Amino acid sequence: MEYTVQKLGLLAGISTRTLRYYDEIGILKPARINSSGYRIYGRAEVDKLQQILFYKELGVSLENIKDIVTAPSFDGSKALKNHREKLFDKRKQLDLLITNVDKTIALMEGKIIMTDKEKFAGFKQKMIDVNEKKYGKEIRAKYGDERVGKSNKVIKDMTEEQYLQVEKLGASVIETLKAAMVTGDPAGELAQKTADLHRQWLSFYWDCYTKEAHAGLAQMYVDDERFTAYYDKQQPGVAAFLRDAILIYTGMGDFS
Amino acid sequence: MEYTVQKLGLLAGISTRTLRYYDEIGILKPARINSSGYRIYGRAEVDKLQQILFYKELGVSLENIKDIVTAPSFDGSKALKNHREKLFDKRKQLDLLITNVDKTIALMEGKIIMTDKEKFAGFKQKMIDVNEKKYGKEIRAKYGDERVGKSNKVIKDMTEEQYLQVEKLGASVIETLKAAMVTGDPAGELAQKTADLHRQWLSFYWDCYTKEAHAGLAQMYVDDERFTAYYDKQQPGVAAFLRDAILIYTGMGDFS
DNA sequence: ATACACCTTTACGTAACGTAAATGTCAATA
DNA sequence: TATTGACATTTACGTTACGTAAAGGTGTAT
């Protein structure tokens, strides 16, 4: 059984170019070259090619495949385990991407379909932007720090301070909310304090706070599963409770 | 707020090279060029860059990002949905890869016992190749669809239809083969029908069908453990039976 | 004046081939 | 026997999103 490039290509389902390339980079040399300069492959080459394609299928780079198939004593399973790790990381990355894309799609559609959610979309965007800005500013601050001296340190400190404050605020919203839940009264002092903290927290992300938007967002917490899931994670009913508190706080509750 | 390449790069966390590249491919041109030929970016460019980086983070290619950020009326959510599909497919692929790698690792560690199965993993390769081909064609068809109009829609439909047909064909090969095995006669009507179905099935994968190649493949089914394992999974001897049937079908049987 | 940090353009390198282009070989046919 | 058509060969540019020089101009501080 001797094969020319095309024969072997057909057999293996790859192009002749690929075979020449494999020859070129030395991972699969033909058994011999005939008088006309044609590449002639034999049984051994077929087997080797199958091995190569197998690893390729597993996503291993040709460079690594080369190591695997050329060195006979190479620890294949070790290499594969290593590779598996990489694949796993890749998958995690992909999952993250998909989640983010999903979110963004939801936001975009919400924007068009429901004016209510419009603000929420802005909110999400803000979150992302804020994150990026924070990151970017930190970088700049750091570099600026090195270059310009301490002139930028002020900015950096402010940004950091703000950031910390936001985190602290977010935490106290949750904390107060928990305590308020115990009372069970969304109009009570604790619940109203929660709503107020929530407003403060929100103000970091929204350029211009309005009661309407705040109330809308609260409603959203209940309407949107993602948020419901997030808040109710601690205890079922939290999202609804927070909404009620905010509706009362903003004076936009319409349950007579 | 005006930025040179480095300033903006620091702000955004990307290299100056990247900014020049973005300028080059026209997705982010500086607001102006100063007297020394320096690129000067303004507020608007910062915003646009943030958009670009956002989509980039979602794994969108610069080419597509260009469409998104340059055309204001571009349907972003549609593009993202499209992109999501791709990501999903990628993830499926990855899952498959990981599964296969896992299997292989397991096999390698219990090497001696299951050399048989080791090769079986390779069979899937063809399936994946086919998948990729199908996918590639769909893409091409789709892009063609957008550009050329509906002329290519036929192709796309055909591709989808073909795919279903191929699956059906593959199934009927197996089915008929089983029935033919009962007769025990590779020259019989059922066996020959199997061979014919097999030819049809094959024709989807091979651009040019030849009896020789068909016969060669049939022989391979017996010679190569992977295929033998696959076919004999149902019942031992199936691979050999199929080969005989095909050799007769192609008229290339040389057993006197 | 010189050093040094910044900017510019040009251009090669990456991975794994696809896709010509220009040319040689083999088998079959007019 | 000349030509055709299907094969083979090598060379080399194109792909993505930049990284990395190289070679040189600009701006500011010493």
Side-chain angles (χ1 to χ4, degrees), chain B residues 183-212:
Chain B
T183 73
D185 179 17
E189 196 184 321
L190 267 175
Q192 288 308 295
K193 193 186 170 192
T194 307
D196 187 56
L197 284 170
H198 187 261
R199 178 193 55 76
Q200 287 177 47
W201 177 74
L202 203 54
S203 301
F204 279 101
Y205 301 120
W206 285 1
D207 288 339
C208 114
Y209 169 88
T210 68
K211 282 181 296 186
E212 289 75 19

Side-chain angles (χ1 to χ4, degrees), chain A residues 8-256:
Chain A
L8 184 54
L10 281 171
L11 186 72
I14 59 176
S15 74
T16 60
R17 175 70 176 94
T18 301
L19 286 170
R20 291 196 196 92
Y21 181 63
Y22 287 177
D23 183 7
E24 188 186 329
I25 64 174
I27 87 177
L28 184 69
K29 299 238 174 244
R32 62 191 180 81
I33 304 236
N34 76 4
S35 57
S36 312
Y38 290 15
R39 292 173 178 79
I40 306 294
Y41 298 89
R43 193 89 190 78
E45 284 72 34
V46 173
D47 287 352
K48 192 168 175 187
L49 178 56
Q50 277 176 348
Q51 252 201 77
I52 292 171
L53 293 182
F54 171 69
Y55 283 107
K56 205 183 101 175
E57 200 52 47
L58 297 182
V60 182
S61 73
L62 291 187
E63 176 121 351
N64 289 335
I65 291 178
K66 195 174 178 179
D67 293 340
I68 296 174
V69 299
T70 57
S73 63
F74 197 84
D75 189 343
S77 91
K78 198 168 176 183
L80 273 188
K81 272 182 189 165
N82 214 307
H83 185 61
R84 204 195 96 108
E85 283 303 305
K86 278 190 232 157
L87 288 180
F88 229 82
D89 287 350
K90 250 192 200 168
R91 206 188 70 147
K92 263 197 240 165
Q93 268 269 27
L94 259 184
D95 280 342
L96 200 79
L97 281 190
I98 290 173
T99 309
N100 282 343
V101 171
D102 277 347
K103 275 185 196 163
T104 310
I105 289 174
L107 290 174
M108 282 176 159
E109 303 216 313
K111 207 172 196 174
I112 297 160
I113 301 168
M114 350 187 124
T115 354
D116 257 349
K117 290 195 180 174
E118 198 174 345
K119 295 278 172 158
F120 164 68
F123 173 70
K124 249 304 290 190
Q125 271 283 17
K126 277 272 161 71
M127 287 296 272
I128 293 166
D129 281 356
V130 162
N131 241 328
E132 278 178 351
K133 252 177 210 158
K134 178 188 83 85
Y135 188 65
K137 265 183 192 156
E138 268 186 11
I139 294 281
R140 194 188 54 169
K142 197 171 60 189
Y143 275 82
D145 200 53
E146 282 166 22
R147 238 185 298 124
V148 190
K150 52 191 112 172
S151 76
N152 283 11
K153 197 168 179 307
V154 185
I155 295 172
K156 185 191 165 196
D157 286 345
M158 243 180 57
T159 318
E160 275 185 8
E161 193 183 314
Q162 276 186 342
Y163 179 63
L164 286 175
Q165 210 173 330
V166 143
E167 283 203 309
K168 228 167 52 189
L169 255 178
S172 53
V173 167
I174 299 293
E175 201 181 329
T176 321
L177 182 56
K178 264 193 221 161
M181 272 296 279
V182 179
T183 73
D185 180 16
E189 195 185 338
L190 266 174
Q192 288 309 294
K193 193 187 171 192
T194 306
D196 188 61
L197 283 169
H198 187 261
R199 177 192 57 74
Q200 287 177 48
W201 177 74
L202 204 53
S203 301
F204 275 100
Y205 301 118
W206 284 0
D207 288 333
C208 112
Y209 169 89
T210 67
K211 281 181 295 185
E212 289 77 11
H214 193 183
L217 182 68
Q219 186 57 46
M220 186 111 323
Y221 281 170
V222 177
D223 289 341
D224 193 301
E225 313 156 340
R226 292 174 306 162
F227 282 92
T228 317
Y230 174 73
Y231 278 101
D232 285 3
K233 198 174 47 182
Q234 333 250 349
Q235 192 181 334
V238 172
F241 183 82
L242 178 60
R243 177 203 52 185
D244 291 340
I246 291 174
L247 287 181
I248 293 165
Y249 176 80
T250 57
M252 314 218 56
D254 60 347
F255 38 94
S256 56

Side-chain angles (χ1 to χ4, degrees), chain B residues 35-251:
Chain B
S35 56
S36 311
Y38 290 15
R39 292 173 180 79
I40 307 294
Y41 299 88
R43 195 91 192 75
E45 285 71 36
V46 173
D47 288 350
K48 194 167 174 187
L49 179 56
Q50 276 175 349
Q51 252 201 75
I52 291 170
L53 294 182
F54 171 69
Y55 283 106
K56 208 182 94 169
E57 209 155 324
L58 297 183
V60 182
S61 74
L62 292 186
E63 175 121 352
N64 290 335
I65 291 178
K66 194 175 179 179
D67 293 340
I68 296 174
V69 299
T70 57
S73 63
F74 194 84
D75 190 341
S77 90
K78 198 170 176 181
L80 273 188
K81 270 184 191 166
N82 215 307
H83 185 62
R84 206 196 93 108
E85 283 301 306
K86 282 191 227 159
L87 289 180
F88 228 81
D89 286 350
K90 249 192 201 168
R91 206 189 68 148
K92 265 196 239 163
Q93 269 269 23
L94 259 184
D95 280 342
L96 198 80
L97 282 190
I98 291 173
T99 309
N100 282 344
V101 171
D102 279 346
K103 275 186 197 159
T104 309
I105 291 173
L107 289 175
M108 281 177 157
E109 308 214 312
K111 217 179 224 163
I112 301 160
I113 307 170
M114 349 185 88
T115 333
D116 263 346
K117 286 195 184 170
E118 194 176 346
K119 298 281 172 134
F120 165 69
F123 180 74
K124 289 193 177 144
Q125 205 170 305
K126 276 269 160 72
M127 295 299 274
I128 291 167
D129 278 356
V130 165
N131 241 331
E132 275 176 353
K133 250 177 217 163
K134 181 189 82 87
Y135 190 66
K137 267 185 193 154
E138 270 186 9
I139 293 283
R140 198 187 49 172
K142 198 170 55 193
Y143 272 80
D145 200 53
E146 281 168 21
R147 246 184 290 125
V148 189
K150 57 187 111 171
S151 75
N152 283 11
K153 196 172 178 307
V154 185
I155 296 175
K156 187 190 165 196
D157 289 344
M158 241 180 57
T159 317
E160 279 182 8
E161 197 186 7
Q162 274 186 342
Y163 180 64
L164 287 175
Q165 211 175 328
V166 139
E167 284 201 310
K168 229 168 48 187
L169 254 178
S172 52
V173 167
I174 299 293
E175 203 182 327
T176 321
L177 182 56
K178 265 193 219 160
M181 272 297 281
V182 178
T183 73
D185 179 17
E189 196 184 321
L190 267 175
Q192 288 308 295
K193 193 186 170 192
T194 307
D196 187 56
L197 284 170
H198 187 261
R199 178 193 55 76
Q200 287 177 47
W201 177 74
L202 203 54
S203 301
F204 279 101
Y205 301 120
W206 285 1
D207 288 339
C208 114
Y209 169 88
T210 68
K211 282 181 296 186
E212 289 75 19
H214 193 183
L217 183 67
Q219 185 57 46
M220 188 113 320
Y221 281 171
V222 177
D223 289 341
D224 194 304
E225 306 157 311
R226 293 176 307 163
F227 292 106
T228 317
Y230 175 71
Y231 279 101
D232 285 3
K233 198 174 48 181
Q234 334 250 348
Q235 193 181 334
V238 172
F241 182 82
L242 179 59
R243 177 204 52 184
D244 291 342
I246 291 174
L247 287 182
I248 292 165
Y249 176 79
T250 58

